[in-house]
């Protein structure tokens, strides 16, 4: 993987332990702890080093070079331009006044998933004390001093010399971006943040310790960190002096300058030279300064005599076999650099991007085009299938052919010769290996790779003659040799490299995890020596068994967790290492799982039957998802065994997120491939030598019959119990002894031979879901029984999601506060001790409602000052005092807290603390007599949680959908929205029932369609899984195409094609024992019919989701529910990993089936894995969002810039969260008027979304729309239109036309077309938008009024005043009824109506004049208004939720004064109360408040 390269580190010892040698194959020289790749992976040429791109690899010092080569381009692209993000001047530190209201983009859990991480509950973040600046850390900060590189000029290929600007990695960059002067070391104070803390340790406890406040009885789990981290609250980050330039002297080219930084390593200069256009063909060289060779792994600052202007000479080194292989692989990569086949085949973390097809290259260049409308006339006509109302949904435009993909042929064949390896006597002449080449001119040559370089020999295909040919053209690089023997190669290779370096770096950097494409065009299969070599070596596991070459995954995963994390540089280094190892482990585990299912790995227990076999490959342990030895007999057998791995993975995710020092989990990846589920785990040292019974010292190996415990495990797990809400409890073992646990009984503790404490089998980390676990003799609450629960599920491992547990606890916490406040106030009012009727533990509903109403009055009467303390704050204060136990609290107040605790089910009577016992209702687990009360309370709590899911979370989801707070567009986004609220997918049927019964049923039409499609495809996936298990490899494509025909084709009786002759020959080999699992020579799949499949789908939907589907064929489903076959095809392909041929399928033909076996190209694995997070970066991001919501755009922009740098540091250049960061940055730059910067950031966001999430993911569609807006603002009208057309095509494919988001998209298209005077086309889109808006928002909504107004404007431009008047009147009526006569919108509309009437009258007069006087009439010229670009842009901003508010100087003064006053008030409150942040998570600020309530954005 290109970004897998390892480079610099902070401390030399770590560098020693961590860093590999130059190449990627370097296991012989040093076995790295975090080696970059398995020994045989390619030394990818395009490792882009650049400022802030740890694409540069994970332990790299991310200060890239501003070279003129393509890496400088990366610096420019991946780093951030400081030009508009370093704000100097007085307002940089003070409050920037709001200039704008930002609507949709700023909610943290907005539908585009702005980095909403489940683990970071905002309430757990304490506000920083204003004086807390960052304290000094003496060690160098090389691993984080990301330089921000200005983008100007980076696309200018010819610029040598220093890069345009070096910023610093922290938010306030002083110094102009244009200068390259070294900047002084500065100290930096982090701005005082709103109610979001800039988390400085991993825990908020650090701050509490400093501030001297005691631990409050806060909602458990909001402190995500560990008290063990003794970090100081202040860190000063020392910003290093910036870089200098050196001269590079390479053979055969002019010397050139390269900008470097003292923290970089010599190795990084190697990478830059291997990527530069003019030096890319060299791999085996060293750098010399004044005749002395520089060590690869030394930092530049440690090189004596290296300074500004020093000359580094490139010296060619002799080859070894390893270096020769690296060289050949590098040349192959250069030849294939524009070839998309790796992306289509899903290898080496390549993925697709099509943005450049629609922008004609890079947007930066096109910005220099002529402005405005004097551009060449542009063709605005969209393809027919994009127009509103079109029924056609073609598939081919999904992957348009990029003209760069018809690669220039440099060679016909480059392959290893059959004469390898050289015989002994030739080895002693220096021969390393032989290559065979056919040039483009059809000349066949044999080439010797020797220690001195490459030369032609006299061998032929059948005759070995290693003597040099004459002339032999000895060249140090293979490219130079080929240049001499093939003129075509010389010409085409040069053009190819030019194109390669011109591509946007984000199109070529590898992604951290593999993204697979569900369609691909028909590709030519070409010879490829490297691919062939990989297929026979690393991929099948020969090399994985050579000692010293394999990676010890477990050691790597655990060592990275043990890295120090006391300050920001250390945490960044640690998080980067963790992320890197996880992504490598996931790739290796996926490859291994596929090899296991394909039958290419030998089992460690080959004599057992196939389902029970286990495998070890590349130091990873693989097991299949079947119930071996009746382990899950009581839980549902094979079905339970299938779902246990994903539950276990969720447990691993959770414990990793809590991140307790000393507690270790296994690396875990779950792979679904060809109908099988494979679990891949790292191996605990020593576990294979011992019996399980001896190893397990905590937990139970037989689901609770024998149970053991261990004090060290109890201590470690106790630290996780608070954030995970797990109750420490006692259970009985088989000898009726009490055993104490702090997890479920299945959780096992094993101490490895390395002395580490591992926990595994975390499948019941979370409490059971009683709605799907009928327990005899237990009654569920009324809400559950009303909804038809409990239902029997196929297995008994149904758990509540962590998000649900968190939401439930939060809900109870608010209730606790209200109840206590209510009682305090009643006490205060009556001055008599009253303990309300709360003692019984039930909540009288009157108390609940009263508490809500009665919190208000308290506020005013408490104190005369503006800072009144509400009843809730009093409770909080009281609760804190009681928790600190200082004895000053009067007994009545204690009673209040005790009652409130009892009422909400808290386990403590002095503080709010809700925890769950995960073993309740677990079959086979018994509890001691003494705990019966606790068990009863716990059972009640579980029932309440099950009821909470049905009575709060599902209705809340439907309400959010009705209000369009979330806008899912396909199955994946709907699932995401459900999971964020803690609703498991098995509740999908219930969600759809509620949608059907909702009074706003029409407004939820899109949700219903997506839900039904998801339900059908999930049911089909369940059937497909068992269907595939009976298919032999030779019949795979026939079986898959047959299934797709039965599922989607209207052809009534598709027949499966059995490869008959092959089947016969297979029958004879039936004796083979070691067949891949399920190779049952079974042709039962061939008899499936569409009727049977759809009957099974309906049965599955009823059985699993409890939803009745009214359809018995695909055509009926399409008709009944308004679905699209192409959408169903996309959903089923993504869910099962099928890849189909890119062509038009005739689904509706009744004469022939839609799919043939040639249409099924591949089947990919579907992989679930842990996603390690960048915690510090995320807190910066949240703080930036909070600042922006308060209206402080510049400070927000700086914090988000900072977050971007930190994300880059941890994740490398490509990641979903970086995408969210770039989108928000682009929006902020746009609002602040810097269109070029907005365009550049948004272009990166689109490319990244395409590469990391998929080319047609709903997120990508959103990004395309934003980019189109910024293009229009930059006068790139034709680009804006093509981007909008692309977005519309993708939305049609993913969902169809009838989606609320389509209205926004069509309004955008209509407005742009109006701007370029394509009125008729514009009307088609705007009228469609009006229809969709009316359907989803109701005819009286303000959005509908705006839509009417947009249509009226186009009619006005066409001089059709009657229609214009009609639409504007509709709009006026809505404004008048909704906002009243005096509202400015109503007045504006009224004015516009007058204006239209006058124009209509004028036109009528003119027409009359013509009728009276004929053609000789004296006609005053009519004023037809062509819309101005400014007015179109204003309207675009309004519909996209961006409202600029014009403020006069006086307004600004008042506003500044108001902001200052509020600031002082907050300071006073903070100093007086010394209280922490509110314990309850504050509701997210509504975007409407974004600019301190200046103006009301109703129209948007």
């Amino acid at each position: 993987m290109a970004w897998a390269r390892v480079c610099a580190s902070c401390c030399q010892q770590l560098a020693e332990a961590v860093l590999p040698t130059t190449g990627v194959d370097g296991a012989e020289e040093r076995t790295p702890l975090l080696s970059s790749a398995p020994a045989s992976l390619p030394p990818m040429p395009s490792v882009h080093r650049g400022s802030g791109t740890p694409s540069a690899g994970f332990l790299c010092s991310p200060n890239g070079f501003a070279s003129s080569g393509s890496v400088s381009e990366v610096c420019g692209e991946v780093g951030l331009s400081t030009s508009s993000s370093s704000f100097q001047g007085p307002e940089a530190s003070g409050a920037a006044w709001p200039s704008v209201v930002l609507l949709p983009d700023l909610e943290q859990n907005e539908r585009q998933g702005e980095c909403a991480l489940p683990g970071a509950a905002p309430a757990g973040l304490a506000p920083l004390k204003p004086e807390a600046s960052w304290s000094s850390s003496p060690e160098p900060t090389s691993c984080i001093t990301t330089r921000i590189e200005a983008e100007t000029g980076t696309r200018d290929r010819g610029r040598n010399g220093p890069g345009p600007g070096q910023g610093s990695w922290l938010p306030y960059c002083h110094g102009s971006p244009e200068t390259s002067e070294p900047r002084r070391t500065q100290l930096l104070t982090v701005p005082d943040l709103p109610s979001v803390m800039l988390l400085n340790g991993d825990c908020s406890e650090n701050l509490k310790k400093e501030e001297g406040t005691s631990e409050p009885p806060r909602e458990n789990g909001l402190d995500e960190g560990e008290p063990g981290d003794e970090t100081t609250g202040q860190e000063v980050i020392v910003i290093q002096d910036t870089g200098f330039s050196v001269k590079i002297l390479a053979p055969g080219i002019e010397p050139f300058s390269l900008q470097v930084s003292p923290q970089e390593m010599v190795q990084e200069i190697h990478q830059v030279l291997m990527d530069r256009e003019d030096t890319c063909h060299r791999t085996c060289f060293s750098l010399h300064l004044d005749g002395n060779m520089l060590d690869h792994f030394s930092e530049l600052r440690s090189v004596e005599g290296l300074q500004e202007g020093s000359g580094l000479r490139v010296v060619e080194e002799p080859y070894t076999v390893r270096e020769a292989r690296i060289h050949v692989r590098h040349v192959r990569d250069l030849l294939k650099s524009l070839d998309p086949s790796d992306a289509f085949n899903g290898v080496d973390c390549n993925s697709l991007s099509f943005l450049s097809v629609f922008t004609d290259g890079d947007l930066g260049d096109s910005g220099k085009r002529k402005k405005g409308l004097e551009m060449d006339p542009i063709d605005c006509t969209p393809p027919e299938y994009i127009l509103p109302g079109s029924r056609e949904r073609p598939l081919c435009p999904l992957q348009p052919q990029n003209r760069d993909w018809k690669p220039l042929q440099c060679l016909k064949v480059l392959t290893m010769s059959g004469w390898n390896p050289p015989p002994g006597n030739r080895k002693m002449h220096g021969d390393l290996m032989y290559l065979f080449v056919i040039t483009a001119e059809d000349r066949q040559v044999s080439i010797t790779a020797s220690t001195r370089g490459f030369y032609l020999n006299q061998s032929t295909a059948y005759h070995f003659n290693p003597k040099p040919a004459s002339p032999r053209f000895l060249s140090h690089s293979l490219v130079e040799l080929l240049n001499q023997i093939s003129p075509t190669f010389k010409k085409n290779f040069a053009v190819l490299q030019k194109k390669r370096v011109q591509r946007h770096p984000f199109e070529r950097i590898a992604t951290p995890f593999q993204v697979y494409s569900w369609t691909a065009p028909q590709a030519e299969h070409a010879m490829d020596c490297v691919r062939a070599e990989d297929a026979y070596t690393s991929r099948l596991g020969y090399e994985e068994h050579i000692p010293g070459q394999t990676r010890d995954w477990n050691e790597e995963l655990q060592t990275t967790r043990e890295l120090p994390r006391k300050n920001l540089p250390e945490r960044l280094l640690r998080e980067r290492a963790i992320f890197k190892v996880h992504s490598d482990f996931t790739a290796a585990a996926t490859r291994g799982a596929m090899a296991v299912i394909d039958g290419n790995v030998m089992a460690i227990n080959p004599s057992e039957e196939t389902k029970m076999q286990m495998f070890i490959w590349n130091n990873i342990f693989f097991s299949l998802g079947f119930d071996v030895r009746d382990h899950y007999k009581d839980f549902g057998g094979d079905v339970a065994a299938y779902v246990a791995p994903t539950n276990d993975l969720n447990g691993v995710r959770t414990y990793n997120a809590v991140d307790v020092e000393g507690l270790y989990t296994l690396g875990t990846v779950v792979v679904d491939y060809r109908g099988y589920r494979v679990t891949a785990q790292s191996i605990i040292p020593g576990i294979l030598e011992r019996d399980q019974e001896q190893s397990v010292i905590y937990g139970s190996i037989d689901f609770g019959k024998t149970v053991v415990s261990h004090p060290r495990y109890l201590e470690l797990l106790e630290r996780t119990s608070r954030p995970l809400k797990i109750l420490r409890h006692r259970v009985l073992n088989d000898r009726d002894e009490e055993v104490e646990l702090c997890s479920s009984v299945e959780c096992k503790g094993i101490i490895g031979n390395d002395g580490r404490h591992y926990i595994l089998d975390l499948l019941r980390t979370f409490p059971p879901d009683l709605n799907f676990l009928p327990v005899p003799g237990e009654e569920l609450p009324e809400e559950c029984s009303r909804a038809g629960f409990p239902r029997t599920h196929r297995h008994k491992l149904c758990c509540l999601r962590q998000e649900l547990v968190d939401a439930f606890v939060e809900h109870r916490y608010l209730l606790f506060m209200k109840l206590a406040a209510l009682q305090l106030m009643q006490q205060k009012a009556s001055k008599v001790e009253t303990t309300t009727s709360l003692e019984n533990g039930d909540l009288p509903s009157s108390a609940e409602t009263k508490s809500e109403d009665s919190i208000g009055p308290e506020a005013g009467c408490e104190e005369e000052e503006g800072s009144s303390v509400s009843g809730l704050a009093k409770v909080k204060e009281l609760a804190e005092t009681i928790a600190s136990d200082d004895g000053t609290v009067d007994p009545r107040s204690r009673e209040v807290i005790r009652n409130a605790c009892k009422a909400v089910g808290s386990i403590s009577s002095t503080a709010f603390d809700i925890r769950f016992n995960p073993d309740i209702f677990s079959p086979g687990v018994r509890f001691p007599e003494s705990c019966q009360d606790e068990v009863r309370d716990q059972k009640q709590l579980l029932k309440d949680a099950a009821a909470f899911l049905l009575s709060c979370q599902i209705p809340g989801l439907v309400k959010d959908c009705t209000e369009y707070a979330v806008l899912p567009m396909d199955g994946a986004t709907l699932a995401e929205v459900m999971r964020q609220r803690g609703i498991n997918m098995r509740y999908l049927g219930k969600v759809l029932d509620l949608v059907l019964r909702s009074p706003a049923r029409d407004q939820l039409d899109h949700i219903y369609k997506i839900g039904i499609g998801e339900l059908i495809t999930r049911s089909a996936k369940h059937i497909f899984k068992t269907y595939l298990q009976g298919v032999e490899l030779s019949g795979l494509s026939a079986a898959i195409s047959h299934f797709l025909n039965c599922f989607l084709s209207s052809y009534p009786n598709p027949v499966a094609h059995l490869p008959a002759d092959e089947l016969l020959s297979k029958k004879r080999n039936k004796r083979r024992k070691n067949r891949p699992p399920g190779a049952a020579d079974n042709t039962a799949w061939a008899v499936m019919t569409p009727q049977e499949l759809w009957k099974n789908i309906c049965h599955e939907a009823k059985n699993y989701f409890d939803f009745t589907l009214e359809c018995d064929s695909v055509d009926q489903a399409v008709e009944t529910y308004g679905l699209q076959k192409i959408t169903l095809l996309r959903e089923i392909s993504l869910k099962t990993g099928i890849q189909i041929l890119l062509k038009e399928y005739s689904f509706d033909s009744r004469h022939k089936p839609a799919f043939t076996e040639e249409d099924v190209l591949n089947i990919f694995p579907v992989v679930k894995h842990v996603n390690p997070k960048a915690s510090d970066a995320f807190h910066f991001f949240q703080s930036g969002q909070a600042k922006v919501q308060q209206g402080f755009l510049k400070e927000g922009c700086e914090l988000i810039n900072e977050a971007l740098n930190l994300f880059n540091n941890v994740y490398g250049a490509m990641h979903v969260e970086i995408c969210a960061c770039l989108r928000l940055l682009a929006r902020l730059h746009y609002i602040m008027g810097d269109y070029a910067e907005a365009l550049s950031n948004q272009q990166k966001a689109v490319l990244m979304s395409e590469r990391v999430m998929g080319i047609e993911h709903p997120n990508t569609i959103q990004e395309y729309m934003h980019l189109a807006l910024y293009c229009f603002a930059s006068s790139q009208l034709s680009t804006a239109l093509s981007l909008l057309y692309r977005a519309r095509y993708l939305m049609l494919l993913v969902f169809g036309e009838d989606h609320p988001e389509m209205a926004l998209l069509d309004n955008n298209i209509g407005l742009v077309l109006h701007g370029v005077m394509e009125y008729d086309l514009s009307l088609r889109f705007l009228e469609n938008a009006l229809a969709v808006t009316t359907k989803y928002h109701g005819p009286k909504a303000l959005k509908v009024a705006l839509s009417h107004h947009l249509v009226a404007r186009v009619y006005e431009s066409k001089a059709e005043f009657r229609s214009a008047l009609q639409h504007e009147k509709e709009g006026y009526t809505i404004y008048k009824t909704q906002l009243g006569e005096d509202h400015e919108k109503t007045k504006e509309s009224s004015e516009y109506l007058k204006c239209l009437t006058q124009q209509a009258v004028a036109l009528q007069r003119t027409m009359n004049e013509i009728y009276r006087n004929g053609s000789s009439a004296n006609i005053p010229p009519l004023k037809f208004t062509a819309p101005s670009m400014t007015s179109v842009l204003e309207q675009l901003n309004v519909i996209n939720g961006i409202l600029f508010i014009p403020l006069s100087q006086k307004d600004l003064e008042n506003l500044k004064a108001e902001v200052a006053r509020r600031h002082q008030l907050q300071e006073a409150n903070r100093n007086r109360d010394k209280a922490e942040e509110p314990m309850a998570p504050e509701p997210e600020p509504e975007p409407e408040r974004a600019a301190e309530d200046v103006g009301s954005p109703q129209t948007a």
Side-chain angles (χ1 to χ4, degrees), residues 766-777:
F766 295 108
D769 180 353
L770 292 194
N771 289 328
F772 287 91
L773 188 69
V775 181

PDB file of all heavy atoms in Angstrom, residues 766-777:
ATOM      1  N   PHE A 766     -22.895  -5.872  26.041  1.00  0.00           N
ATOM      2  CA  PHE A 766     -24.057  -5.030  26.309  1.00  0.00           C
ATOM      3  C   PHE A 766     -25.239  -5.868  26.769  1.00  0.00           C
ATOM      4  O   PHE A 766     -25.318  -7.061  26.463  1.00  0.00           O
ATOM      5  CB  PHE A 766     -24.403  -4.208  25.063  1.00  0.00           C
ATOM      6  CG  PHE A 766     -23.318  -3.252  24.737  1.00  0.00           C
ATOM      7  CD1 PHE A 766     -22.502  -3.448  23.632  1.00  0.00           C
ATOM      8  CD2 PHE A 766     -23.051  -2.183  25.571  1.00  0.00           C
ATOM      9  CE1 PHE A 766     -21.457  -2.591  23.364  1.00  0.00           C
ATOM     10  CE2 PHE A 766     -22.013  -1.320  25.312  1.00  0.00           C
ATOM     11  CZ  PHE A 766     -21.212  -1.524  24.209  1.00  0.00           C
ATOM     12  N   PRO A 767     -26.181  -5.253  27.502  1.00  0.00           N
ATOM     13  CA  PRO A 767     -27.284  -6.025  28.084  1.00  0.00           C
ATOM     14  C   PRO A 767     -28.196  -6.608  27.003  1.00  0.00           C
ATOM     15  O   PRO A 767     -28.260  -6.085  25.887  1.00  0.00           O
ATOM     16  CB  PRO A 767     -28.029  -4.988  28.927  1.00  0.00           C
ATOM     17  CG  PRO A 767     -27.586  -3.665  28.448  1.00  0.00           C
ATOM     18  CD  PRO A 767     -26.218  -3.834  27.897  1.00  0.00           C
ATOM     19  N   PRO A 768     -28.918  -7.698  27.338  1.00  0.00           N
ATOM     20  CA  PRO A 768     -29.783  -8.349  26.347  1.00  0.00           C
ATOM     21  C   PRO A 768     -30.978  -7.479  25.984  1.00  0.00           C
ATOM     22  O   PRO A 768     -31.401  -6.632  26.768  1.00  0.00           O
ATOM     23  CB  PRO A 768     -30.235  -9.624  27.063  1.00  0.00           C
ATOM     24  CG  PRO A 768     -30.094  -9.324  28.509  1.00  0.00           C
ATOM     25  CD  PRO A 768     -28.942  -8.382  28.635  1.00  0.00           C
ATOM     26  N   ASP A 769     -31.492  -7.693  24.786  1.00  0.00           N
ATOM     27  CA  ASP A 769     -32.667  -6.965  24.299  1.00  0.00           C
ATOM     28  C   ASP A 769     -33.897  -7.822  24.586  1.00  0.00           C
ATOM     29  O   ASP A 769     -34.163  -8.794  23.891  1.00  0.00           O
ATOM     30  CB  ASP A 769     -32.501  -6.725  22.791  1.00  0.00           C
ATOM     31  CG  ASP A 769     -33.674  -5.967  22.199  1.00  0.00           C
ATOM     32  OD1 ASP A 769     -34.664  -5.750  22.927  1.00  0.00           O
ATOM     33  OD2 ASP A 769     -33.601  -5.595  21.015  1.00  0.00           O
ATOM     34  N   LEU A 770     -34.654  -7.447  25.625  1.00  0.00           N
ATOM     35  CA  LEU A 770     -35.762  -8.302  26.078  1.00  0.00           C
ATOM     36  C   LEU A 770     -36.898  -8.371  25.067  1.00  0.00           C
ATOM     37  O   LEU A 770     -37.721  -9.276  25.131  1.00  0.00           O
ATOM     38  CB  LEU A 770     -36.300  -7.795  27.419  1.00  0.00           C
ATOM     39  CG  LEU A 770     -35.342  -7.939  28.594  1.00  0.00           C
ATOM     40  CD1 LEU A 770     -36.073  -7.742  29.904  1.00  0.00           C
ATOM     41  CD2 LEU A 770     -34.679  -9.305  28.601  1.00  0.00           C
ATOM     42  N   ASN A 771     -36.958  -7.395  24.142  1.00  0.00           N
ATOM     43  CA  ASN A 771     -38.028  -7.466  23.144  1.00  0.00           C
ATOM     44  C   ASN A 771     -37.886  -8.711  22.275  1.00  0.00           C
ATOM     45  O   ASN A 771     -38.849  -9.163  21.676  1.00  0.00           O
ATOM     46  CB  ASN A 771     -38.000  -6.223  22.246  1.00  0.00           C
ATOM     47  CG  ASN A 771     -38.462  -4.986  22.987  1.00  0.00           C
ATOM     48  OD1 ASN A 771     -39.308  -5.075  23.873  1.00  0.00           O
ATOM     49  ND2 ASN A 771     -37.895  -3.834  22.656  1.00  0.00           N
ATOM     50  N   PHE A 772     -36.662  -9.241  22.170  1.00  0.00           N
ATOM     51  CA  PHE A 772     -36.438 -10.416  21.335  1.00  0.00           C
ATOM     52  C   PHE A 772     -35.962 -11.606  22.167  1.00  0.00           C
ATOM     53  O   PHE A 772     -35.306 -12.497  21.662  1.00  0.00           O
ATOM     54  CB  PHE A 772     -35.423 -10.093  20.238  1.00  0.00           C
ATOM     55  CG  PHE A 772     -35.984  -9.212  19.163  1.00  0.00           C
ATOM     56  CD1 PHE A 772     -35.883  -7.838  19.235  1.00  0.00           C
ATOM     57  CD2 PHE A 772     -36.660  -9.774  18.084  1.00  0.00           C
ATOM     58  CE1 PHE A 772     -36.433  -7.025  18.254  1.00  0.00           C
ATOM     59  CE2 PHE A 772     -37.210  -8.971  17.104  1.00  0.00           C
ATOM     60  CZ  PHE A 772     -37.105  -7.591  17.194  1.00  0.00           C
ATOM     61  N   LEU A 773     -36.253 -11.583  23.466  1.00  0.00           N
ATOM     62  CA  LEU A 773     -35.821 -12.682  24.331  1.00  0.00           C
ATOM     63  C   LEU A 773     -36.966 -13.029  25.278  1.00  0.00           C
ATOM     64  O   LEU A 773     -36.998 -12.568  26.410  1.00  0.00           O
ATOM     65  CB  LEU A 773     -34.578 -12.250  25.130  1.00  0.00           C
ATOM     66  CG  LEU A 773     -33.886 -13.340  25.931  1.00  0.00           C
ATOM     67  CD1 LEU A 773     -33.229 -14.339  24.995  1.00  0.00           C
ATOM     68  CD2 LEU A 773     -32.846 -12.747  26.866  1.00  0.00           C
ATOM     69  N   PRO A 774     -37.943 -13.823  24.801  1.00  0.00           N
ATOM     70  CA  PRO A 774     -39.065 -14.156  25.682  1.00  0.00           C
ATOM     71  C   PRO A 774     -38.552 -14.973  26.875  1.00  0.00           C
ATOM     72  O   PRO A 774     -37.831 -15.937  26.692  1.00  0.00           O
ATOM     73  CB  PRO A 774     -39.974 -15.015  24.799  1.00  0.00           C
ATOM     74  CG  PRO A 774     -39.473 -14.854  23.412  1.00  0.00           C
ATOM     75  CD  PRO A 774     -38.038 -14.476  23.498  1.00  0.00           C
ATOM     76  N   VAL A 775     -38.881 -14.522  28.094  1.00  0.00           N
ATOM     77  CA  VAL A 775     -38.476 -15.257  29.289  1.00  0.00           C
ATOM     78  C   VAL A 775     -39.756 -15.698  29.995  1.00  0.00           C
ATOM     79  O   VAL A 775     -40.597 -14.851  30.317  1.00  0.00           O
ATOM     80  CB  VAL A 775     -37.647 -14.352  30.231  1.00  0.00           C
ATOM     81  CG1 VAL A 775     -37.214 -15.140  31.452  1.00  0.00           C
ATOM     82  CG2 VAL A 775     -36.448 -13.792  29.498  1.00  0.00           C
ATOM     83  N   PRO A 776     -39.935 -16.992  30.217  1.00  0.00           N
ATOM     84  CA  PRO A 776     -41.169 -17.457  30.863  1.00  0.00           C
ATOM     85  C   PRO A 776     -41.348 -16.764  32.215  1.00  0.00           C
ATOM     86  O   PRO A 776     -40.400 -16.611  32.983  1.00  0.00           O
ATOM     87  CB  PRO A 776     -40.923 -18.967  31.043  1.00  0.00           C
ATOM     88  CG  PRO A 776     -39.830 -19.315  30.094  1.00  0.00           C
ATOM     89  CD  PRO A 776     -39.017 -18.087  29.897  1.00  0.00           C
ATOM     90  N   GLY A 777     -42.577 -16.308  32.472  1.00  0.00           N
ATOM     91  CA  GLY A 777     -42.883 -15.713  33.769  1.00  0.00           C
ATOM     92  C   GLY A 777     -42.487 -14.251  33.908  1.00  0.00           C
ATOM     93  O   GLY A 777     -42.661 -13.646  34.960  1.00  0.00           O
TER      94      GLY A 777
END
